[in-house]
Amino acid sequence: MSSRAALLSLEQARRQLLASIAPLTDTEMVSLASALDRVAAADIAASIPVPPWDNAAMDGYALRRADLEQTPTLPVSQRVAAGMQPDPLQPGTAARIFTGAPVPDHADTVVMQENCEQQNGQVTVVQLPERGENIRRQGSDISAGSKLIEKGQRLGPFQLGLLASSGIDQVPVVAKPKVALLMTGDELVEPGLTLTPGKIFNSNQYVIQALCQRMGIDVVASDHVVDSLDATVSALSQAAEKANVIITMGGVSAGEEDHVKDAVSREGELLLWKLAIKPGKPFAFGRFADSHFFGLPGNPVSAVVTLLLLVRPALLKLMGAAETDWPERWVEAGFSRDQVSDREEYLRVSLKSTPEGDVVQPFSRQSSGVLSSLGQSDGLAVIPKGNKVKKGDRLRFLAFNAIF
């Protein structure tokens, strides 16, 4: 692929990348406890209604509303706590009942205890209720046979709760992608070792590995590759034997010591290289052996931005997820900027909520090597190619907490 090829826009790259990826076909059954962030491989329906029976919405007394037409005072015939099976309600009586307890047969109303007075085994209703008041009806939350989960839906905490409420403890999910990480660069030193002149600590591995794990992805290998073409080809070959996704960090620019792009071009297939975005221009995508290849830039901010904008949706598609977009919203610029760029920019910004709406301010240093800018920002504000920014302009905003 020529280094003079026109730079792709993010949207062009994303479309091309996703069109080149098909969801994994292998599926498995996993326990509910192991299903967080997995993707459903089939529709899942409720096996029972929820709640499974009429139950009290609060502490009080269960009775027949018609009995109060004769007298406001009724004898208390039984006590029903959550987890108990009550007897049918005797005519002309009330049952002391507690929140979540089954409503006795023949009772049609629960009067809250604040509207009752109890004395000598009898209860007097001091404020008449409506018939059916304070009863959660069987199936009012979920009806038996209704669809709880759709195929392709990611299983978050609320989805797991829905499944559990229907008694489902095993769910069919799409197999996880297996990811191998390769860090390139003779300058890298592992944290904990002595830092000698010319060296830097290897931070990218820990950021990218953690982000993959947050997506529910298994990182099956993580290796450091020295700066040579033969070593890079060998490392890519070994990674392809272990994983169906290879993510490299560094080595995809056009320098003499950048060997990853050349290795993939020689031994695999390079499908795209260089994007019209800032940061993240030297991103690469292709195939190596039977594995998908993603080449992230070496600068930490560029690596994270391209991982979130491009690799994340690709991994989600591999997992079978129906939704791969990063949710965005519009916010107000709390700053002005006269400079323009020939690439679409993704500024690290902080977000402040005001009575007039959400306002963003850029981090003071936007260099792609300033890792601290990510930890101190709430997300990315998008500046279109060639645009200046005036205070009050509306900008697209991608919040980090919308995806993690």
Side-chain angles (χ1 to χ4, degrees):
M1 179 172 293
S2 170
S3 61
R4 296 183 180 181
L7 301 184
L8 290 176
S9 70
L10 179 75
E11 188 53 38
Q12 288 173 321
R14 189 175 185 277
R15 284 199 305 266
Q16 183 177 334
L17 190 155
L18 291 178
S20 303
I21 290 176
L24 298 174
T25 56
D26 292 342
T27 63
E28 57 182 335
M29 295 292 293
V30 299
S31 69
L32 205 58
S34 302
L36 181 64
D37 290 329
R38 302 297 296 271
V39 175
D43 292 345
I44 305 174
S47 56
I48 62 168
V50 179
W53 19 255
D54 292 353
N55 70 90
M58 58 185 59
D59 296 349
Y61 294 85
L63 47 77
R64 279 179 290 206
R65 175 62 176 78
D67 288 340
L68 296 179
E69 300 295 335
Q70 308 300 319
T71 175
T73 302
L74 302 172
V76 178
S77 58
Q78 61 177 309
R79 181 179 185 277
V80 188
M84 295 177 58
Q85 176 59 50
D87 295 326
L89 188 68
Q90 299 173 22
T93 71
R96 178 69 166 123
I97 196 166
F98 299 90
T99 303
V103 175
D105 289 345
H106 309 312
D108 60 17
T109 302
V110 171
V111 185
M112 69 171 65
Q113 61 186 15
E114 291 84 352
N115 294 335
C116 299
E117 295 177 354
Q118 184 179 5
Q119 189 175 14
N120 299 325
Q122 294 188 320
V123 62
T124 298
V125 177
V126 297
Q127 182 174 323
L128 292 179
E130 296 292 329
R131 185 176 183 273
E133 195 169 290
N134 300 320
I135 293 179
R136 293 186 288 228
R137 295 298 180 185
Q138 179 188 57
S140 59
D141 185 6
I142 302 168
S143 58
S146 63
K147 187 185 295 183
L148 295 177
I149 303 294
E150 293 187 348
K151 180 181 178 180
Q153 187 172 0
R154 291 188 78 190
L155 303 177
F158 302 139
Q159 288 72 40
L160 298 184
L162 276 178
L163 294 168
S165 71
S166 192
I168 295 170
D169 68 335
Q170 298 283 321
V171 290
V173 295
V174 179
K176 289 182 181 181
K178 295 179 180 179
V179 173
L181 302 181
L182 297 178
M183 284 65 62
T184 69
D186 292 342
E187 74 278 13
L188 298 179
V189 174
E190 285 303 300
L193 299 179
T194 300
L195 196 66
T196 56
K199 305 293 186 179
I200 60 172
F201 286 121
N202 175 17
S203 61
N204 279 354
Q205 172 189 344
Y206 298 93
V207 176
I208 300 305
Q209 182 166 324
L211 289 173
C212 287
Q213 290 168 341
R214 280 285 186 94
M215 285 185 269
I217 303 295
D218 283 336
V219 176
V220 298
S222 182
D223 295 301
H224 178 207
V225 186
V226 298
D227 286 329
S228 85
L229 182 58
D230 289 342
T232 303
V233 170
S234 177
L236 287 167
S237 299
Q238 293 177 43
E241 294 176 357
K242 304 172 186 176
N244 46 23
V245 174
I246 303 170
I247 300 176
T248 63
M249 283 153 271
V252 289
S253 294
E256 293 180 5
E257 297 298 326
D258 293 317
H259 302 292
V260 173
K261 181 180 73 70
D262 290 341
V264 174
S265 298
R266 190 179 81 175
E267 303 291 338
E269 183 181 16
L270 191 65
L271 298 175
L272 64 86
W273 178 50
K274 288 192 176 181
L275 306 177
I277 65 172
K278 183 180 181 179
K281 177 182 176 181
F283 173 83
F285 167 69
R287 291 190 64 80
F288 194 93
D290 293 326
S291 300
H292 296 289
F293 160 77
F294 300 94
L296 306 184
N299 280 320
V301 177
S302 300
V304 169
V305 168
T306 51
L307 180 92
L308 296 182
L309 291 174
L310 290 161
V311 183
R312 177 184 173 272
L315 291 176
L316 288 176
K317 185 172 181 181
L318 272 176
M319 295 168 68
E323 180 56 62
T324 63
D325 289 341
W326 186 345
E328 64 179 46
R329 66 181 191 267
W330 291 88
V331 296
E332 183 178 307
F335 64 99
S336 296
R337 197 182 70 160
D338 290 333
Q339 70 186 81
V340 298
S341 173
D342 59 355
R343 291 178 276 161
E344 185 175 60
E345 291 192 74
Y346 290 80
L347 300 184
R348 284 135 279 161
V349 295
S350 59
L351 179 72
K352 181 179 180 181
S353 294
T354 73
E356 291 74 33
D358 292 336
V359 178
V360 293
Q361 290 285 353
F363 190 77
S364 58
R365 291 174 293 157
Q366 291 291 323
S367 167
S368 58
V370 182
L371 182 58
S372 59
S373 65
L374 292 170
Q376 298 179 44
S377 299
D378 296 307
L380 304 174
V382 185
I383 313 299
K385 172 183 174 180
N387 276 31
K388 297 180 180 180
V389 178
K390 293 182 180 179
K391 189 173 182 178
D393 282 353
R394 304 289 287 173
L395 302 176
R396 289 165 51 215
F397 174 66
L398 301 165
F400 293 141
N401 65 10
I403 53 176
F404 296 116

